[in-house]
Amino acid sequence: MDDDRRTRFEAVYEQTYEQILGYAVRRCDSPEDAADVVSETFAVAWRRADALPPGDEARLWLYGVARNVLANHRRGAARWRLVALDVDVADLYAHSPEGSVELSAIARAFKELPDGDRELLALVAWEGLDPGQIAKVLDCSRNAVRIRLYRARRRFSKALAGAGVSANRYAVEAV
Amino acid sequence: MNELTDLARVRDDELAGRASGAGARALLASVAATDPAERPSPVPLPGAASRRRARRLLAGALATAALAAAMVLGPSFLEDGSGPATSYANAAIEIEQRGDWWVARIRDPFADHALYSEAFRAVGLDVTLELVPVPPDRVGEVVKIGGSGTTGPSLGIGGELEPEGCTIGQAGCALTVQVGRDLTGKAVVSLGRVARPGESYQSSVVATRKGQMLAGFRVDERPVREVMAEVRRRGLKAVFRIIDPNENGGGYGMDPAAQSRPVGDDWTVWEAEADRPGVVRLYVSEKRVAQNPIYGGPKPPEDTSE
């Protein structure tokens, strides 16, 4: 029973570690924060290994957990830390992704969006998810995702236009 | 094409191989070591990760990353002689072939990292080498490693002092990095170097081990008063890491926002790490629990030098 749990957890861990690390690194401003999110997400997964869905759904489930962990951190909750991991991911923070002037304008507009909009657009652009997959991450209906995505894109386009960036190149893209 | 993707700090495919890296293995081990029913939190094990950073494991990391990757022969295998150099040197580093390995000898551990990359590139390797400050006995060890892209079933990457066991500063003693000649992807390596005065170490090492600042002294489960007396007696300084042990003693939390609270003399010390030369980092808590929360039990005897 315990061995079974461990085997299953290890398999999911190996398959999803890089994706969860990517998710955290793309959303956290420091390697320490990203390391904390990854550690806590998998700690939750270990505790709730019986709830871990099979196959690719495990990844979606873990994105959902990571999203909650991140939200808790932003609310100032205490954290768990594995020192080794933040040293391990520190190199990913060596460069800022907002190199060009145009990109930094996009970054600003993106950062100013409501959290929910930003997360939806990021799940599409960064994790490459479709509305059905996003519905599983957010635990809502696919239709709700489509509507919220549509609104998020519209707000983002507006923000980009306000920043003088041609909007339809970036945001008005069908999924 | 959605340019939002360009805002991503990293793409998942750039993280290939990290799942088998030292950090990922340490996390897996510490998470899976907890009892899922009773211990609601991971048990961080300072030092456990560093002990796992053996060269053997690093080789494994690259090999695993290669399972799904195509074998690509690197340009150094070109036979017409137009390929990259077989040796290269600049002011910071010199690289030469020795059998199945590229051996890079660091001439200047404080050099601009670009000079190291330039040399690796010249021999056809995509290796980003960074030298980071570590405690004296870890100088020459690989502190962290990452990789991406195609890697063959690689021999791996390791760090060493040459001649073996020498002390940096002695004539002829140098840091070296060995890179398997079958490496075809990109590798990012951090190698331990000596710290400059006042510079914090970028690896955690238990301070009570032999050769460390508090060697021969037992800190775990003792009051701050007693440990600080010894710290001062040795002419050292201390910084505190305030932790909140779980009720059952298996694991702990740490609130980064509460680290500046005053620490009482009667608080309990659970572990000491090297922070920087002359400074130890004490893991302390106000509450005393039955089990050392750092280890979920007694501190392992191999980390003391008694």
Side-chain angles (χ1 to χ4, degrees), chain B residues 34 39-43 246-252 291-293 295-296:
Chain B
T34 60
R39 294 178 184 167
S41 309
V43 185
N246 289 352
E247 286 304 329
N248 57 18
Y252 61 87
Q291 287 191 324
N292 188 330
Y295 296 101

Side-chain angles (χ1 to χ4, degrees), chain A residues 2 5-6 9-10 13-14 17-23 25-26 28-30 35-36 38-40 42-43 46-48 59 63 76-93 95-98 103-104 106-107 110 121-122 124-127 153 156 169-171 173, chain B residues 1-12 14-37 39-46 49-50 53 64 130 143-146 188 190 202-204 241 244 246 251-256 273 281 283:
Chain A
D2 275 2
R5 176 197 201 88
R6 197 187 168 107
F9 176 74
E10 283 186 2
Y13 184 89
E14 305 248 319
Y17 174 82
E18 285 150 20
Q19 292 157 328
I20 299 305
L21 176 64
Y23 178 96
V25 166
R26 290 187 285 268
C28 294
D29 289 333
S30 74
D36 290 354
V38 174
S39 302
E40 280 188 61
F42 283 110
W46 170 243
R47 287 205 297 280
R48 305 206 41 215
R59 172 175 68 118
Y63 283 148
R79 299 160 178 225
W80 302 95
R81 178 146 296 179
L82 182 82
V83 177
L85 202 56
D86 51 278
V87 176
D88 212 48
V89 303
D91 61 306
L92 301 173
Y93 284 81
H95 305 286
S96 163
E98 298 154 25
L103 266 183
S104 76
I106 298 168
F110 187 59
L121 295 175
V124 174
W126 296 349
E127 276 75 39
R153 288 208 172 92
F156 187 38
R169 262 184 73 202
Y170 301 110
E173 184 188 310
Chain B
M1 178 68 192
N2 185 332
E3 258 81 350
L4 258 187
T5 48
D6 292 345
L7 285 182
R9 192 181 307 282
V10 67
R11 293 191 316 269
D12 286 351
E14 293 168 324
L15 298 172
R18 292 214 180 216
S20 37
R25 307 316 300 177
L27 174 61
L28 176 61
S30 61
V31 167
T34 60
D35 180 337
R39 294 178 184 167
S41 309
V43 185
L45 297 171
S50 52
R53 285 179 194 132
T64 312
E130 192 186 44
V143 177
K144 79 178 172 198
I145 189 166
V188 181
S190 290
Q202 286 189 32
S203 77
S204 52
R241 173 90 25 111
D244 306 307
N246 289 352
Y252 61 87
M254 191 179 66
D255 182 355
E273 289 178 353
R281 179 167 56 234
Y283 285 73

Side-chain angles (χ1 to χ4, degrees), chain B residues 70-81:
Chain B
M71 254 306 263
V72 176
L73 286 183
S76 53
F77 293 84
L78 293 178
E79 286 172 0
D80 63 359

Side-chain angles (χ1 to χ4, degrees), chain A residues 128-172:
Chain A
L129 303 188
D130 64 34
Q133 292 171 311
I134 294 174
K136 293 207 169 88
V137 175
L138 303 182
D139 197 19
C140 63
S141 76
R142 179 199 293 247
N143 212 27
V145 170
R146 284 188 190 284
I147 293 165
R148 277 150 66 177
L149 250 181
Y150 168 76
R151 291 180 185 148
R153 288 208 172 92
R154 206 174 45 185
R155 280 190 281 266
F156 187 38
S157 302
K158 208 180 257 176
L160 287 175
V165 181
S166 130
N168 51 1
R169 262 184 73 202
Y170 301 110
V172 192

Side-chain angles (χ1 to χ4, degrees), chain B residues 166-253:
Chain B
C166 67
T167 306
I168 288 289
Q170 283 175 348
C173 181
L175 278 170
T176 63
V177 183
Q178 296 83 35
V179 179
R181 277 187 57 199
D182 50 1
L183 177 85
T184 53
K186 175 182 171 59
V188 181
V189 186
S190 290
L191 185 69
R193 63 158 168 80
V194 291
R196 292 192 181 95
E199 197 176 30
S200 282
Y201 297 134
Q202 286 189 32
S203 77
S204 52
V205 169
V206 174
T208 52
R209 277 190 211 156
K210 199 173 165 196
Q212 294 290 333
M213 288 180 273
L214 288 173
F217 181 71
R218 190 159 171 188
V219 300
D220 52 303
E221 307 184 26
R222 293 178 77 166
V224 166
R225 181 187 315 112
E226 289 177 17
V227 175
M228 284 308 294
E230 181 67 16
V231 164
R232 281 189 287 268
R233 203 183 63 75
R234 296 192 184 205
L236 302 169
K237 289 195 167 116
V239 293
F240 295 108
R241 173 90 25 111
I242 301 175
I243 63 169
D244 306 307
N246 289 352
E247 286 304 329
N248 57 18
Y252 61 87

